[in-house]
């Protein structure tokens, strides 16, 4: 499996970040109303950010594959789709835990929650179609990723007509230095981790494509039947 | 434009001869509505929210059944391949499929709307706005369903995949349709319904243009 030269640097940075983040989060001031539960915020928000970022990376890769027939685009798309589901799961597990404490219930049909859940479901469908779709499923999934990405603003808007109780993004700017620095650090670490995971997953796809090529070459040379 | 009309006419004639899709889809919608009646009616009278929701869910469920069958028929006769090989623009093919699906769904909606208003005892005021809401919602649904229905041509487990791909994407249509219908049925609030109408218009514009744009590369390899 051939990895890009910068991969080790990124992995080292992600590892350092993941080692340092718990210390920073622990030393951050305790939030007065929520107490310890507020610390989930350092984990939940970066997960949500990466989930949405990854969905749009997947759509970009899909567009490259559909319109330029770029195999690299397709590899990028499938890797990003898997990571969307992975970070989406982190987001959907940590969110309700916080919600139980803050709102008294695990789930409400709030705009952000609904949008995030539907995005998650669209990418589950992506992976499902990819796995069980058979021939032509790569193109189908590329179409799905494009439609899904275009759908996110519309879902957000349609649900936002309903009541919103999720904390606004303006919360971030009101954090102050004490909580702001660990938060920014978490965001950065998650992004670096995402890049590392994406590259690793794409390297796997590259290796898989190479194996397929070798199989075909071997068949052509009469080595296999 | 002419090729769209010809392709559409082909679908209509095929269906007029077989009548399979219309009957099957209407009957399916009726059965779905009856199941909802068994679930909701019998106790205290449900609110209009329920009637509006039932109407749109029945439309969505019956829609995928009809679309799934329509493309299955194309596949059985291998007519989709013939269409893709013929010298018509792919976008015309997409638009004609979109309109054909919409036509089928409009027939189903007429029956469903009648049944819902009878069984749930709702009186329809602002009939014109409701029809516009249904038409725009149908176009949005069909824009997504036509694209994925056509590109699922050779995929395995098509019947499961179609609703799996279509439903999450058409959620805004269902929200807009249901909320708009509720606004028309309860307080007869045309301003709210007009807002959702505009929203559906935006949805349709986005997804029809995206569909026209993506249809060509999506079905290109299937010929």
């Amino acid at each position: 499996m051939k990895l890009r030269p910068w991969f080790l640097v990124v992995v080292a940075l992600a590892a350092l970040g993941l080692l340092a983040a718990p210390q920073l989060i622990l030393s951050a001031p305790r939030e007065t109303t929520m107490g310890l539960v507020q610390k989930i915020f350092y984990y939940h928000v970066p997960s949500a950010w990466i989930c949405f970022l990854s969905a749009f990376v997947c759509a970009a890769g899909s567009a490259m594959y559909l319109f330029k027939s770029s195999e690299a685009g397709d590899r990028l798309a499938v890797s990003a789709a898997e990571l969307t589901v992975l970070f989406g799961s982190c987001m959907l597990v940590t969110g309700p835990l916080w919600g139980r404490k803050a709102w008294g219930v695990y789930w409400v049909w709030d705009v952000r929650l609904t949008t995030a859940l539907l995005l998650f479901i669209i990418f589950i469908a992506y992976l499902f179609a990819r796995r069980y779709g058979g021939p032509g499923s790569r193109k189908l999934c590329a179409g799905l990723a494009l439609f899904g990405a275009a759908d996110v603003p519309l879902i957000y808007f349609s649900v936002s007509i309903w009541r919103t109780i999720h904390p606004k993004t303006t919360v971030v700017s009101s954090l102050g230095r004490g909580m702001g620095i660990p938060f920014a650090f978490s965001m950065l670490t998650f992004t670096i981790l995402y890049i590392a995971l994406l590259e690793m997953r794409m390297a796997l796809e590259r290796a898989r494509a190479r194996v397929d090529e070798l199989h075909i070459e071997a068949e052509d040379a009469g080595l296999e039947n | 434009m002419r090729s769209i009309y010809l392709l559409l006419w082909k679908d209509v004639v095929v269906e007029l001869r077989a009548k399979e899709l219309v009957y099957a889809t209407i009957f399916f919608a009726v059965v779905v509505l009856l199941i909802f009646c068994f679930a909701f009616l019998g106790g205290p009278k449900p609110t209009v929210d329920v009637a509006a929701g039932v109407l749109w869910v029945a439309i969505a469920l019956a829609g995928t059944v009809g679309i799934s069958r329509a493309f299955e028929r194309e596949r059985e006769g291998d007519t989709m391949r013939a269409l893709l090989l013929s010298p018509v623009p792919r976008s015309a093919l997409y638009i004609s499929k979109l309109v054909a699906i919409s036509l089928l769904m409009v027939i189903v909606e007429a029956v469903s709307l009648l049944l819902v208003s009878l069984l749930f005892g709702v009186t329809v005021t602002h009939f014109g706005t409701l029809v516009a809401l249904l038409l725009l919602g149908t176009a949005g649904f069909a824009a997504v369903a036509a694209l994925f229905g056509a590109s699922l041509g050779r995929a395995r487990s098509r019947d499961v995949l179609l609703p799996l791909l279509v439903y999450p994407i058409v959620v805004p249509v269902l929200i807009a349709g249901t909320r708009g219908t509720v606004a028309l049925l309860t307080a007869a609030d045309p301003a709210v319904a007009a807002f959702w109408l505009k929203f559906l218009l935006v949805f349709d514009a986005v997804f029809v243009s995206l569909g026209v744009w993506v249809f060509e590369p999506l079905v290109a390899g299937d010929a």
Side-chain angles (χ1 to χ4, degrees):
Chain A
M1 202 157 88
K2 266 190 202 156
L3 293 154
R4 303 258 187 260
W6 47 263
F7 176 71
L8 277 180
V9 181
V10 178
V11 169
L13 280 175
L16 280 176
L18 286 176
L19 279 175
Q23 301 300 322
L24 271 171
I25 292 168
L26 199 65
S27 62
R30 220 179 137 94
E31 213 261 337
T32 43
T33 47
M34 293 296 294
L36 197 61
V37 180
Q38 182 267 337
K39 306 256 185 221
I40 218 165
F41 174 81
Y42 299 110
Y43 191 79
H44 173 73
V45 181
S47 302
W49 144 246
I50 296 296
C51 174
F52 278 79
L53 173 74
S54 192
F56 285 96
V57 169
C58 176
S62 299
M64 272 159 65
Y65 174 62
L66 267 187
F67 298 107
K68 307 254 185 245
S69 301
S70 148
E71 288 295 324
D74 184 52
R75 288 198 284 269
L76 178 68
V78 69
S79 311
E82 282 184 10
L83 290 172
T84 306
V85 172
L86 177 72
F87 283 94
S89 313
C90 293
M91 167 185 73
L92 287 175
V93 169
T94 52
L97 290 177
W98 182 87
R100 181 79 178 83
K101 172 83 178 166
W103 303 325
V105 284
Y106 287 107
W107 190 264
V108 286
W109 291 106
D110 161 81
V111 53
R112 277 159 201 258
L113 278 75
T114 313
T115 312
L117 179 69
L118 283 168
L119 183 79
F120 184 72
I121 289 176
I122 288 171
F123 279 89
I124 296 265
Y126 180 103
L127 293 185
F128 187 84
R130 188 95 192 185
R131 178 80 180 76
Y132 299 107
S137 66
R138 298 205 298 173
K139 280 190 175 166
L140 181 71
C141 288
L144 179 66
L146 280 181
F147 266 58
D151 208 24
V152 167
L154 287 167
I155 297 174
Y156 187 89
F157 186 66
S158 67
V159 188
S160 71
I161 306 303
W162 296 348
R163 196 165 60 104
T164 296
I165 58 173
H166 189 282
K168 298 267 191 311
T169 36
T170 48
V171 152
V172 173
S173 56
S174 70
L175 281 178
R177 280 175 68 88
M179 288 187 223
I181 291 172
F183 174 72
F185 191 79
S186 295
M187 292 289 271
L188 187 68
T189 304
F190 263 71
T191 311
I192 295 171
L193 178 70
Y194 172 67
I195 295 169
L197 288 173
L198 192 65
E199 166 57 14
M200 206 155 83
R201 186 64 188 77
M202 281 174 69
L204 184 65
E205 283 298 314
R206 284 197 295 272
R208 204 172 266 171
R210 183 77 191 117
V211 168
D212 285 347
E213 269 171 37
L214 287 174
H215 265 299
I216 293 168
E217 276 175 31
E219 263 177 35
D220 288 349
L223 293 172
E224 263 183 52
N225 45 23
Chain B
M1 204 60 209
R2 184 163 161 73
S3 39
I4 294 178
Y5 173 74
L6 283 175
L7 286 166
L8 183 63
W9 183 239
K10 176 217 78 138
D11 279 345
V12 172
V13 168
V14 168
E15 183 49 34
L16 280 179
R17 288 192 187 143
K19 296 193 187 67
E20 172 203 8
L21 281 181
V22 175
Y23 287 154
T25 317
I26 288 180
F27 187 63
F28 184 82
V30 171
V31 171
V32 169
L33 285 174
L34 285 179
I35 289 174
F36 276 122
C37 287
F38 296 136
F40 290 121
L41 298 176
K45 193 176 179 297
T47 53
V48 240
D49 288 53
V50 174
V54 164
L55 175 68
W56 283 89
V57 169
I59 291 169
L61 289 176
T64 37
V65 168
I67 291 156
S68 187
R69 182 63 206 134
F71 284 106
E72 194 66 26
R73 191 159 69 187
E74 293 268 16
R75 202 184 59 86
E76 277 167 11
D78 224 356
T79 43
M80 198 66 193
R81 184 196 299 249
L83 285 177
L84 289 171
L85 287 172
S86 64
V88 285
R90 295 279 155 81
S91 50
L93 192 55
Y94 171 69
I95 300 283
S96 77
K97 280 284 162 215
L98 195 165
V99 180
I101 289 169
S102 304
L103 278 181
L104 172 70
M105 285 178 71
V106 164
I107 298 171
V108 176
E109 279 160 16
V111 178
S112 309
L113 184 63
L114 192 71
L115 261 182
V116 165
S117 61
L118 276 176
L119 294 171
F120 286 82
V122 287
T123 41
V124 180
T125 48
H126 296 88
F127 190 71
T129 323
L130 187 61
V131 168
L133 208 60
L134 281 169
L135 285 180
L136 284 178
T138 307
F141 188 90
V144 179
L147 182 80
F148 288 113
S151 53
L152 272 170
R154 290 182 306 151
R156 276 183 283 134
S157 53
R158 287 177 294 275
D159 302 334
V160 186
L161 278 177
L162 183 68
L164 206 65
L165 303 180
V166 171
Y167 288 149
I169 291 180
V170 297
V171 160
V173 170
L174 294 180
I175 290 177
T178 316
R179 292 289 113 197
T181 312
V182 169
L184 284 178
L185 293 182
T186 46
D189 192 349
V192 177
F195 166 79
W196 287 116
L197 267 180
K198 274 184 235 151
F199 176 82
L200 280 175
L201 211 57
V202 173
F203 184 94
D204 290 0
V206 170
F207 279 85
V208 171
S209 32
L210 198 60
V212 169
W213 191 45
V214 173
F215 191 75
E216 161 97 51
L218 211 58
V219 295
D222 286 355

